[in-house]
Each structure stands twice: as C-alpha cells, then as structure tokens.
Amino acid sequence: MGLLCSLLKTSLAPKAKLHKILLYCGLAILFIGLGSWWIVAQISLRAQIVRDDPDQILHNPLLAQTAINTGRKVYNEQCASCHGPKAQGDTTIGAPNLADHDFLYGSGTVAEIEQIVLYGIRSGDSRGWNLASMPAFGTANPYAGYKINSLMPSQIDDVAAYIRHISHQAADPAAVERGRAQFKTAGCWDCHGPDGGGDTSIGAPNLTDKIWLYGDGSIDAIKTTITYGRHGEMPAFTGRITPFQVRSVSVYIASLSQASQPEKNNARRP
C-alpha cells in the first residue's frame, strides 16, 4: 500500500508543477497587461493635457489631478528656490506670492501662467514679458528706454508718503499732498494708473493694497524702490522642461491661487 501511494505521488508531481507554472505564467501575463494598460493610459492622459484648452483642465478632475501631481514635482524642482516651498514668494528678491489671488501679470489663468513659464519676464526671450520696469528715480539716468527726469531726495520722500497713504498707512498729510502732485509729474501714473491701481498688462503692481512685491511697505522700503528702481527677472523654461511639464506646473500654480480665492465672483486685484 505504501509503495502504491508513493508511485501515485510520483506520477502526479509533474502535473502539479505544470499547474503551478501555468498559474505563474497567467499571473505574469496579467501583471504585464495591467502595467501596459496603465502606461498607455498615462501616455493618453498626458497627451490630452497638452492638447486640451489649458483653462479647461481644472474643470476635469482626472486631467487636473494628473497635471497637479506632476506640476507639484516640477514646481519643487524648478520654482521653489525663488517662490518658496509653499509658493509664498520672497519680498527680498521680488518673487511674487503664487498661492494667493493677487496677480502681477495677467489674471491668473493657466494659459497666462503658461506663457510666463515658457518665455519668462525680462528673460532675454523676445516672447516674454518685457514691457516696463521700475525707473531708478534717484539716479542720473532713471530709465534706459527713454528720458525720465530724476527726483530729488525730498521729492522721493513725498512720493513715498503718498504711496503709504493710498495703501492705507499713516503718512504726513502735507507730504502726501506734495507726493500726489509729484506722482503725476514724475510719470508714475503712466504705469501704475492715475489711482495707483496698477496694470497687469505690463506688470505694474497695485500700490493701493498692502501686498508688496519688494519689502514690507515701510517708508524706507518704498523709498529704496523709488530711488534705485526694480526690474525682477523670471527665467524662460522653454526647451528646459517638456511641454507636459510646462502645462502641468502652470495648472498646479493656477490651482493654488484658485484654492485661496475667497469668492469665485470676486474680481481679482489688478
């Protein structure tokens, strides 16, 4: 009896091994198939993200999440060194806060952000934003583009007082009135607008709120900007990262500002 059992086990052993081999092969084929499907699906999603209207991506949950996941990685690798790990900006170098709903250029759409990512600001790329920069009014030649008159230190003090006033901060009333007139005669209104509200078509900041691109809004910080000028730069990333990465980081940045927007109906500050 023992011999018979032993013979039966011997004869069944190759079949059991064959069943195991077939099972493992089936599982391997299944995993390869699933992996191939996932790769094809990802390629298709990436192609759709690049191909679709950029300003519609955030309205498609699947496309939005795919773009945001990649965009976050791109941001951390390429942008966080200037704009901060939480996109909070850096007023010591004039890197804007990207996580609020306040925009220096444009209105914060994905398409507008994408153009900045691609071509930069004062980057040397002719397709980038390079329409204006802040003159250095305390120097002999304030502006390279055309003739602008310099301001005396006392005049700079008055303009700074006026800017403090329109940004709802304390300032000497007499200096404010002199600065109001100087704001017009010096040509500040040409970029910042007659009311100091700014111009997002050229990147002229709104001077009437308490959001500062450089410094903390103190009288000394404002005087420094008026005296020495500002001309911050944003590098052009075209050719440095892929089109999918450009689109993804633009979607990610737009998602940050939209998440912080208190009311969808509220107009975004110029």
Side-chain angles (χ1 to χ4, degrees), residues 125-267:
D125 191 307
S126 60
R127 295 164 292 184
W129 243 304
N130 190 24
L131 295 175
S133 57
M134 173 69 192
F137 283 103
T139 64
N141 298 297
Y143 194 64
Y146 48 83
K147 176 65 176 176
I148 290 180
N149 293 326
S150 302
L151 295 178
M152 301 293 291
S154 60
Q155 293 173 315
I156 290 174
D157 290 345
D158 292 341
V159 174
Y162 173 66
I163 292 171
R164 288 269 299 180
H165 171 71
I166 63 175
S167 62
H168 312 290
Q169 300 183 80
D172 175 64
V176 168
E177 289 310 308
R178 292 192 301 268
R180 189 191 307 275
Q182 196 64 58
F183 187 85
K184 296 177 181 178
T185 58
C188 308
W189 64 271
D190 192 30
C191 288
H192 294 284
D195 61 351
D199 185 348
T200 59
S201 69
I202 60 173
N206 184 342
L207 304 178
T208 67
D209 57 17
K210 293 183 180 180
I211 299 173
W212 302 97
L213 186 60
Y214 289 91
D216 57 359
S218 66
I219 194 71
D220 288 338
I222 295 171
K223 285 164 60 176
T224 297
T225 294
I226 298 170
T227 301
Y228 301 109
R230 302 291 188 185
H231 44 84
E233 297 178 5
M234 159 83 183
F237 283 91
T238 183
R240 297 171 57 179
I241 58 178
T242 67
F244 172 64
Q245 289 174 317
V246 170
R247 176 63 55 83
S248 294
V249 76
S250 302
V251 171
Y252 171 66
I253 292 169
S255 74
L256 296 177
S257 63
Q258 290 192 16
S260 72
Q261 197 170 358
E263 294 280 343
K264 191 165 179 110
N265 304 349
N266 283 356

Side-chain angles (χ1 to χ4, degrees), residues 27-222:
L27 289 173
I29 292 170
L30 176 62
F31 289 140
I32 291 171
L34 288 173
S36 299
W37 172 85
W38 185 86
I39 291 171
V40 170
Q42 288 300 305
I43 292 172
S44 177
L45 276 175
R46 291 182 175 210
Q48 188 174 350
I49 287 168
V50 172
R51 185 176 61 247
D52 279 7
D53 179 347
D55 293 317
Q56 294 303 312
I57 291 174
L58 284 171
H59 300 296
N60 183 317
L62 180 59
L63 296 184
Q65 196 56 58
T66 301
I68 287 170
N69 289 342
T70 296
R72 185 183 294 109
K73 294 176 184 177
V74 175
Y75 176 86
N76 290 335
E77 292 171 0
Q78 304 289 343
C79 314
S81 59
C82 287
H83 292 281
K86 295 182 179 179
Q88 74 274 16
D90 186 346
T91 58
T92 65
I93 60 173
N97 183 337
L98 303 178
D100 60 12
H101 51 280
D102 176 89
F103 302 103
L104 185 61
Y105 291 89
S107 59
T109 67
V110 175
E112 289 169 333
I113 294 169
E114 186 171 82
Q115 291 302 299
I116 295 173
V117 173
L118 280 170
Y119 307 124
I121 297 166
R122 303 184 190 92
S123 63
D125 191 307
S126 60
R127 295 164 292 184
W129 243 304
N130 190 24
L131 295 175
S133 57
M134 173 69 192
F137 283 103
T139 64
N141 298 297
Y143 194 64
Y146 48 83
K147 176 65 176 176
I148 290 180
N149 293 326
S150 302
L151 295 178
M152 301 293 291
S154 60
Q155 293 173 315
I156 290 174
D157 290 345
D158 292 341
V159 174
Y162 173 66
I163 292 171
R164 288 269 299 180
H165 171 71
I166 63 175
S167 62
H168 312 290
Q169 300 183 80
D172 175 64
V176 168
E177 289 310 308
R178 292 192 301 268
R180 189 191 307 275
Q182 196 64 58
F183 187 85
K184 296 177 181 178
T185 58
C188 308
W189 64 271
D190 192 30
C191 288
H192 294 284
D195 61 351
D199 185 348
T200 59
S201 69
I202 60 173
N206 184 342
L207 304 178
T208 67
D209 57 17
K210 293 183 180 180
I211 299 173
W212 302 97
L213 186 60
Y214 289 91
D216 57 359
S218 66
I219 194 71
D220 288 338
I222 295 171

